[in-house]
């Protein structure tokens, strides 16, 4: 694809990579690093767009969008184990349950929205920083404000420090909840001192971080905490365009009996509606139903709001972004592309690691002969390749062609390689069928296919060179 875009032969691209020590065939997946290197080598400007972002709008767009209006803040609560994250999330929820919902069963869906003085606030209800860092790793940063919980009777602990670091790195504003203030042993000033030492300076000490004394047990200070969140959110001027095609982040997902794949999402922009065609990573579908945490059906979901979505064809990973598409065809096409992308990536990774493994074994001197099973499309190339790679032998290592023939790569070839140690399966202008490919993958047999002879020879040369013991 890169070669096509540049209108150059694939061999040019492969050669550049090879000269830089990257063994790649036309079937390999180019990582971002390789693409960057190639763009420098060929002096072209490249913008790397993750497929999952291809149909999404970035923050700048939203900020400059004249139709954007205020949206609710999304909050993540983090802190050391047992300092009260779960209790605080429960206390906030309980404090804000409206009469109609009182006594109703609340489901844990991974997030919930409450109202404080008519303003919505959404809490991500998967406490712990694992979920947070997972989302961030996936590039799905949906947290607007971080609440760090510290038990006032226990102070700063190792996980508190981890969380401080993570919060600072994310750049999201921080509010500290000094929890367990109902306890006689609470020492808020001691905690403030410890936090200040780590760059979290309380406002009342001249710093810039609000410390709110609370008790998840008694409910004390919860209102204050919520007020603080609203004030912080106001400064952030969080915005979204309710009329845009929706984009939503997956918080949790699972396969449910009777409902199929379901995913809890928080809408980042636009309004998600029942009936929308969506794509979510490699999954796609039509939003069949949306349920809030009270198991109530909702028809529309505004920015920063959350619900469980049913209607996808497979379970998406958390951190994946769900994007609304114009129609089913578009959604399906895009999901297929993503499948293909994921598959290439996976294949490329497994191929590279096994080649590396073998090269490493070779380097350690554990391997003195490289076994090869070779298949080609025509007899002429078969003979040419056979004699070329046999000639590659040197006094330390040699190539041992244990089987060769004209025709496609078969289950038999895979079996043969599987039963021989340190053996590679090479195809020239032939490729395995899907079934053979699947079986090879399952057995961990690597199939390398080529359409350029010198590329094949270069690969083998590279391996043989690695097989020689170092000379001084
Ligand atoms: P997490 O591990 O951070 O989610 O902590 P939990 O919410 O599970 O709380 C750990 C323990 O502290 C539980 O036994 C809670 O009942 C208790 N706890 C939480 N908040 C308070 C509080 O404000 N006051 C008191 N006295 N105990 C609390």
């Amino acid at each position: 694809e890169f070669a096509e875009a540049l209108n150059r032969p694939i061999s040019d691209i492969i050669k550049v990579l090879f000269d830089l020590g990257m063994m790649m065939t036309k079937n390999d997946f180019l990582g971002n690093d390789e693409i960057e290197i190639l763009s420098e080598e060929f002096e072209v400007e490249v913008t790397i767009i993750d497929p999952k972002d291809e149909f999404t709008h970035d923050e700048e767009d939203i900020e400059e969008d004249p139709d954007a209006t205020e949206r609710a803040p999304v909050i993540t609560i983090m802190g050391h184990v047992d300092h009260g994250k779960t209790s605080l999330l429960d206390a906030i929820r309980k404090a804000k349950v409206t009469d109609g919902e009182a006594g109703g069963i609340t489901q844990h869906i991974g997030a919930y929205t409450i109202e404080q003085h008519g303003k919505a606030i959404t809490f991500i209800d998967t406490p712990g920083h694992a979920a947070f860092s997972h989302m961030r790793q996936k590039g799905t940063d949906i947290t607007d404000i971080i609440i760090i919980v510290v038990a006032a009777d226990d102070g700063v602990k190792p996980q508190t420090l981890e969380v401080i670091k993570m919060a600072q790195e994310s750049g999201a504003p921080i509010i500290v909840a000094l929890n367990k203030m109902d306890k006689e042993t609470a020492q808020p000033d001691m905690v403030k001192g410890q936090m200040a030492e780590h760059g979290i300076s309380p406002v009342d000490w001249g710093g810039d971080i609000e410390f709110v004394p609370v008790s998840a047990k008694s409910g004390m200070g919860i209102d204050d905490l919520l007020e603080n969140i609203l004030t912080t959110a106001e400064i952030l001027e969080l915005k979204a365009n309710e009329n845009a095609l929706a984009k939503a982040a997956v918080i949790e997902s699972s396969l449910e009996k009777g409902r199929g794949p379901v995913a809890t999402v928080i809408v980042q922009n636009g309004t998600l509606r029942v009936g929308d065609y969506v794509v979510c990573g490699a999954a796609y579908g039509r939003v069949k139903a949306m349920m809030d945490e009270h198991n109530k059906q909702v028809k529309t979901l505004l920015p920063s709001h959350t619900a469980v979505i049913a209607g996808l064809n497979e379970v998406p990973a958390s951190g994946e972004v769900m994007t609304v598409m114009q129609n089913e065809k578009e959604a399906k096409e895009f999901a297929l592309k993503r499948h293909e992308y994921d598959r290439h990536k996976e294949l490329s990774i497994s191929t590279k690691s096994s080649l590396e493994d073998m090269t490493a074994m070779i380097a350690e001197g554990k391997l003195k002969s490289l076994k090869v099973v070779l298949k080609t499309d025509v007899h002429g190339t078969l003979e040419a390749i056979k004699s070329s790679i046999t000639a590659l032998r040197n006094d330390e290592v040699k190539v041992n062609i244990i089987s060769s023939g004209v025709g496609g790569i078969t289950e038999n070839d895979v079996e043969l390689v599987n039963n021989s140690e340190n053996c590679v399966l090479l195809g020239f202008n032939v490729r395995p069928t899907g079934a053979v490919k699947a079986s090879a993958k399952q057995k961990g047999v690597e199939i390398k296919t080529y359409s350029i002879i010198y590329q094949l020879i270069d690969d083998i040369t590279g391996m043989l060179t690695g097989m020689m013991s170092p000379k001084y």
Side-chain angles (χ1 to χ4, degrees):
E1 281 172 0
F2 192 90
E4 248 170 53
L6 259 63
N7 210 359
R8 297 184 80 118
I10 289 181
S11 54
D12 283 9
I13 313 290
I14 291 175
K15 172 138 196 335
V16 166
L17 290 169
F18 189 80
D19 289 346
L20 292 166
M22 284 172 272
M23 254 195 246
M24 286 216 166
T25 70
K26 69 170 196 173
N27 302 315
D28 283 322
F29 170 84
L30 291 177
N32 289 358
D33 290 346
E34 282 113 28
I35 291 173
E36 258 166 47
I37 288 167
L38 284 172
S39 63
E40 277 169 28
E41 285 292 318
F42 289 99
E43 293 173 358
V44 288
E45 215 170 287
V46 171
T47 312
I48 295 172
I49 304 168
D50 192 305
K52 78 172 185 236
D53 298 332
E54 202 169 316
F55 290 92
T56 59
H57 336 263
D58 53 29
E59 293 300 324
E60 281 94 14
D61 282 349
I62 294 173
E63 245 147 56
E64 276 159 29
D65 190 336
D67 297 330
T69 51
E70 189 183 333
R71 70 165 173 86
V74 177
I75 317 296
T76 293
I77 298 185
M78 301 198 278
H80 192 70
V81 64
D82 278 347
H83 278 197
K85 297 178 291 290
T86 316
S87 307
L88 196 58
L89 280 160
D90 286 348
I92 293 166
R93 182 187 319 211
K94 242 183 261 149
K96 290 294 150 187
V97 168
T98 58
D99 289 344
E101 288 159 0
I105 305 156
T106 356
Q107 314 250 339
H108 169 93
I109 63 167
Y112 66 81
T113 304
I114 56 123
E115 255 183 38
Q116 172 80 349
H117 304 317
K119 298 228 173 199
I121 305 173
T122 294
F123 288 88
I124 296 181
D125 190 10
T126 46
H129 54 261
F132 179 79
S133 57
H134 170 76
M135 300 281 284
R136 263 175 65 78
Q137 267 166 16
K138 291 214 127 207
T140 314
D141 232 339
I142 53 165
T143 301
D144 299 308
I145 301 167
I146 292 168
I147 294 181
I148 301 181
V149 184
V150 192
D153 63 334
D154 202 22
V156 170
K157 292 280 164 236
Q159 270 179 289
T160 318
L161 294 179
E162 258 176 58
V163 161
I164 290 174
K165 193 161 162 268
M166 216 180 275
Q168 284 170 334
E169 276 168 11
S170 83
I174 297 166
I175 297 173
V176 176
L178 282 169
N179 192 31
K180 308 201 186 182
M181 286 298 287
D182 58 289
K183 284 193 160 182
E184 273 177 21
T185 47
Q187 291 179 275
D189 281 342
M190 183 266 297
V191 179
K192 282 182 183 174
Q194 290 178 331
M195 293 292 275
E197 270 174 43
H198 292 98
I200 307 288
S201 293
V203 167
D204 48 345
W205 288 17
D208 55 355
I209 308 279
E210 289 290 348
F211 280 58
V212 187
V214 299
S215 165
K217 193 176 175 190
S218 72
M220 186 269 285
I222 301 290
D223 247 7
D224 266 355
L225 184 63
L226 298 176
E227 287 303 322
N228 256 294
I229 291 172
L230 288 181
T231 313
T232 309
E234 222 165 275
I235 298 165
L236 289 174
E237 291 187 45
L238 303 165
K239 280 183 177 172
N241 178 357
E242 292 177 10
N243 300 315
L245 282 183
K247 172 188 154 189
V250 176
I251 306 297
E252 279 185 12
S253 59
S254 60
L255 189 63
E256 275 190 17
K257 255 198 183 150
R259 277 208 294 176
V262 296
T264 299
V265 299
I266 293 182
V267 176
Q268 294 173 281
N269 196 33
T271 301
L272 190 62
R273 295 185 170 79
V274 169
D276 278 347
Y277 289 105
V278 292
V279 53
C280 190
Y284 76 98
R286 191 175 194 186
V287 179
K288 247 196 316 212
M290 300 198 280
M291 247 87 60
D292 67 9
E293 57 152 351
H294 306 288
N295 230 351
K296 231 169 44 197
Q297 298 256 2
V298 285
K299 290 271 175 252
T300 56
L301 205 58
L302 290 170
S304 298
H305 284 68
T306 182
V308 182
I309 311 290
L312 289 170
N313 69 332
E314 53 186 80
V315 181
S318 63
E320 211 63 86
V321 173
M322 179 181 281
T323 310
V324 173
M325 307 299 271
Q326 298 290 357
N327 51 50
E328 185 175 14
K329 188 167 160 273
E330 205 183 64
K332 197 170 174 174
E333 263 172 21
F334 194 66
L336 275 175
K337 255 206 252 173
R338 183 55 191 266
H339 255 298
E340 189 67 4
Y341 170 92
D342 288 347
R343 201 179 58 85
H344 273 306
K345 206 165 172 174
E346 203 181 300
L347 264 179
S348 166
I349 288 164
S350 65
T351 302
K352 271 186 218 157
S353 68
S354 58
L355 249 186
E356 265 163 27
D357 288 350
M358 225 180 268
T359 311
M361 278 200 287
I362 286 166
E364 283 165 26
K366 288 184 188 153
L367 230 150
K368 287 300 169 196
S369 122
L370 179 66
K371 289 184 204 136
V372 170
V373 172
L374 174 69
K375 294 304 274 288
T376 67
D377 55 341
V378 291
H379 207 75
T381 48
L382 181 72
E383 289 311 318
I385 294 172
K386 261 168 76 175
S387 59
S388 302
I389 60 176
T390 316
L392 289 176
R393 61 171 300 159
N394 58 52
D395 38 7
E396 280 191 64
V397 283
K398 61 169 184 165
V399 174
N400 180 10
I401 300 173
I402 60 169
S403 164
S404 63
V406 170
I409 294 165
T410 63
E411 183 64 50
N412 238 344
D413 299 325
V414 171
E415 208 34 52
L416 196 59
V417 173
N418 193 32
N419 293 328
S420 328
E421 255 182 359
N422 309 320
C423 186
V424 283
L425 178 42
L426 308 177
F428 185 78
N429 277 344
V430 290
R431 32 191 71 256
T433 61
V436 172
K437 217 186 275 179
S439 141
K441 194 170 175 208
Q442 196 219 339
K443 293 185 172 111
V445 168
E446 171 180 14
I447 302 177
K448 295 283 280 178
T449 54
Y450 301 85
S451 52
I452 301 164
I453 291 190
Y454 92 70
Q455 180 62 48
L456 185 155
I457 290 167
D458 279 350
D459 268 11
I460 301 292
T461 311
M463 294 179 86
L464 292 181
T465 311
M467 285 169 101
M468 290 157 66
S469 46
K471 296 233 159 51
Y472 299 103

